[in-house]
Amino acid sequence: MKRTLPALLLTAALAVTAGCDGSGGGGGDAAEANAARGPIDVWLSNNQEELAWGKAMVEAWNAQHADQKINAQEIPAGTSSEEVIGAAITAGNAPCLIFNTAPAAVPQFQKQGGLVALDSFDGGAAYIAERTGQTADQYKSPDGKFYQLPWKSNPVMIFYNKEIFAKAGLDPERPPLATYDQFLAAARKIKSSGAAQAAIYPAPTSEFFQSWFDFYPLFAAETGGKQLVEGGKAQFDSPEGQRVAEFWKTLYTEGLAPKEKYNGDSFADGKAAMAIVGPWAISVYGNKVKWGAVPVPTSTGKPADQIRTFSDAKNVAMYSACKNRATAWDVMRFATSKEQDGALLAKTGQMPLRTDLATAYPDYFAKNPAYQAFADQAARTVEVPNVPNSVAVWQAFRDAYSESVIFGKKPVPDALGAAADKVDQLAAGS
C-alpha cells in the first residue's frame, strides 16, 4: 500500500474557523471567547466523500443558525496539512476547529499553545465520554484534559484477495490466517505457487507513521490492547513485542514481504495477496478486487471478538486563536450528533467513534454487510499514545524496526531495547 504523510496525518482535513487576532496563542480573554458566538469559516476536505458530508453538514447547520453561519472552503494547500496547521498556530490565525486532526499531532499542537481544552465547556468531558465511552480515555492528554474530540476511526484488518488465495490453493472463504504459523504458511504458499509477487506488501520506508500499518496493529492484538507507550515507558521491548517483530522479520527474510518501495497500490494492482487497511478501502477497491477481510493474526489465534487493532482515527480539535468558541463547541456537537454520524457513515464508510455504533444504524449495516465486521472491530481499537514528542517517539521506534526487522542489520532484541531507552527519554519530555 502506498501511503503519504499528508494522507495519513491531516490531508482530509475539515476545519471550522472563526475570527482571529494576530497573537500566536489567539490572545484575548479565554472566558469571553468561550462564551462568544457568531459567523465562522469552514475549511473542508478535498476527499470527495468527506467533502460531500461536510457541505451537507454546513447546509444543515446554516438552515438553523442564521446569525452563526458557516462559510465553507477547502483547506489551503501545503506540503502537508500538519505543516499548514502548525504554521497557522504560530501565526495566530489557526482555524477554530479541524476535523481530521491526527492524534499523533495533538501533543505538538498542544505544546505550541494552539489547542483549547474541551473540558472548559459545560459538559464537554461528559459529552465525549457519553458518545465514545471508555475508548475516549485514550485521547486524554497527560494533564487529564481533552484537547481532541474522538470523531471517526478506520480500524485496520487484513484484506486478502480471494482470487489469489484460490490460485495458491488456499480456502478463499475461510483463509487460514489466525495464527502467525498459519499466516506464514499461507504466505509461503502464495509466493511458491506464483499466485502473487508478494504475500503482503507494507511500505518498507522509514516514515514514522508506517509502523501504524505493520507492527502496531499486531502489537495491539498480541498484547490485548497496549499502546506503544504506557505510563511514560515503552511497551514494545517485551515478549509480545518481540514476537510481533520476529513474525514480520520472517516475512521479510523469506522474501514474502518485499523490502523495496512500491509506487502504487500493491493490493489493488494484484502484486500483493494481502494488505492491512481499514473500511475506507471497501469503496476504493469495490469490484476491482474480490476481497475478504479478517482480523490481524496473533501468535495463539485469539478469537475475533478478542482482537484489538490500530484505530487509524481522525479527531476534532479546537484551536486557541478562535474567538467564537461557543459556536465552535456547538458545531462540534452538531457535527458528531447521531444524525450527522449516520450521514458520515453513509457517505464515507468510516466508523464514528460511538459506543452504540452497531445498534445505532441497523439499516445501514443490513444494507452494507461488508462494513459490519469493521463496526464490530471499531469497539476494540488502540490509539497512538498521547505523549510528549509523539512523532519523535514513533520515528525512534521506526528507525529501530527498519534496521532490525526489515533490513536485518541488527538483532531484533538489541534494536528494540535501544529504542525503548530512547523512547522513554522522549516520552518524559527530554
Side-chain angles (χ1 to χ4, degrees):
M1 295 294 295
K2 182 181 179 182
R3 297 180 183 275
T4 62
L5 178 60
L8 283 167
L9 282 179
L10 300 161
T11 306
L14 161 63
V16 183
T17 174
C20 312
D21 62 22
S23 62
D29 181 78
E32 182 179 344
N34 286 355
R37 290 184 169 85
I40 57 175
D41 292 334
V42 177
W43 293 344
L44 296 173
S45 165
N46 57 12
N47 171 281
Q48 286 189 340
E49 291 80 11
E50 287 188 47
L51 180 60
W53 170 82
K55 287 183 175 179
M57 183 273 289
V58 168
E59 289 179 6
W61 170 270
N62 285 348
Q64 301 174 27
H65 303 84
D67 60 339
Q68 301 176 63
K69 284 194 173 183
I70 299 171
N71 178 44
Q73 67 176 71
E74 293 185 32
I75 189 171
T79 304
S80 74
S81 294
E82 183 185 38
E83 291 187 13
V84 171
I85 293 165
I89 291 173
T90 300
N93 58 8
C96 273
L97 301 178
I98 298 177
F99 286 60
N100 261 17
T101 295
V106 167
Q108 179 59 36
F109 293 161
Q110 184 182 345
K111 184 179 180 179
Q112 288 181 256
L115 300 178
V116 176
L118 303 179
D119 313 63
S120 60
F121 298 96
D122 187 32
Y127 175 76
I128 293 171
E130 181 181 355
R131 178 175 174 272
T132 306
Q134 292 184 343
T135 300
D137 291 342
Q138 298 182 86
Y139 299 99
K140 286 183 179 179
S141 289
D143 65 2
K145 296 180 180 179
F146 286 108
Y147 292 87
Q148 54 185 320
L149 188 157
W151 182 34
K152 62 184 176 69
S153 70
N154 276 279
V156 300
M157 300 178 71
I158 300 289
F159 267 55
Y160 68 94
N161 186 312
K162 291 185 176 183
E163 292 181 334
I164 291 176
F165 268 59
K167 192 181 295 185
L170 298 165
D171 187 343
E173 301 304 325
R174 302 184 67 181
L177 299 172
T179 70
Y180 293 168
D181 288 343
Q182 289 176 335
F183 194 105
L184 290 170
R188 291 169 182 137
K189 203 166 184 181
I190 290 164
K191 188 69 184 291
S192 64
S193 69
Q197 175 184 330
I200 191 167
Y201 209 146
T205 49
S206 61
E207 297 93 345
F208 74 90
F209 54 82
Q210 296 295 1
S211 290
W212 300 344
F213 304 98
D214 47 34
F215 177 87
Y216 201 43
L218 274 68
F219 179 73
E222 189 71 8
T223 60
K226 282 189 177 181
Q227 294 180 301
L228 195 78
V229 177
E230 290 187 355
K233 298 293 182 182
Q235 301 297 307
F236 54 81
D237 185 24
S238 63
E240 296 91 343
Q242 300 281 352
R243 287 196 293 270
V244 175
E246 292 291 352
F247 166 76
W248 280 109
K249 184 178 180 180
T250 300
L251 286 166
Y252 283 109
T253 300
E254 297 186 14
L256 307 173
K259 299 178 183 179
E260 302 79 27
K261 179 181 179 181
Y262 184 79
N263 293 315
D265 187 324
S266 59
F267 185 72
D269 294 345
K271 302 297 183 182
M274 293 176 281
I276 297 181
V277 289
W280 62 265
I282 294 176
S283 62
V284 173
Y285 296 139
N287 296 323
K288 299 176 186 176
V289 181
K290 290 184 178 179
W291 58 269
V294 295
V296 297
T298 57
S299 62
T300 59
K302 293 178 182 178
D305 62 1
Q306 295 180 19
I307 298 291
R308 294 184 177 273
T309 191
F310 173 54
S311 65
D312 195 15
K314 301 298 181 293
N315 297 333
V316 192
M318 185 182 298
Y319 289 75
S320 56
C322 176
K323 285 184 176 180
N324 294 325
R325 297 180 189 175
T327 293
W329 174 239
D330 288 345
V331 170
M332 289 179 92
R333 289 181 296 172
F334 178 82
T336 57
S337 64
K338 183 178 179 181
E339 179 181 357
Q340 288 299 327
D341 278 348
L344 179 75
L345 176 64
K347 284 186 170 67
T348 69
Q350 299 180 61
M351 303 290 133
L353 282 163
R354 303 183 66 91
T355 56
D356 60 348
L357 178 61
T359 57
Y361 311 105
D363 291 345
Y364 174 83
F365 291 112
K367 294 177 182 176
N368 301 276
Y371 290 89
Q372 183 63 57
F374 292 95
D376 295 338
Q377 186 67 76
R380 300 181 304 279
T381 56
V382 177
E383 189 48 73
V384 300
N386 190 320
V387 294
N389 301 309
S390 175
V391 170
V393 162
W394 282 103
Q395 191 64 64
F397 173 78
R398 186 65 182 180
D399 291 345
Y401 180 89
S402 297
E403 182 181 31
S404 59
V405 173
I406 299 176
F407 299 109
K409 296 180 179 179
K410 192 173 185 178
V412 168
D414 294 348
L416 294 191
D421 291 340
K422 187 173 183 179
V423 165
D424 286 350
Q425 294 178 358
L426 289 166
S430 302

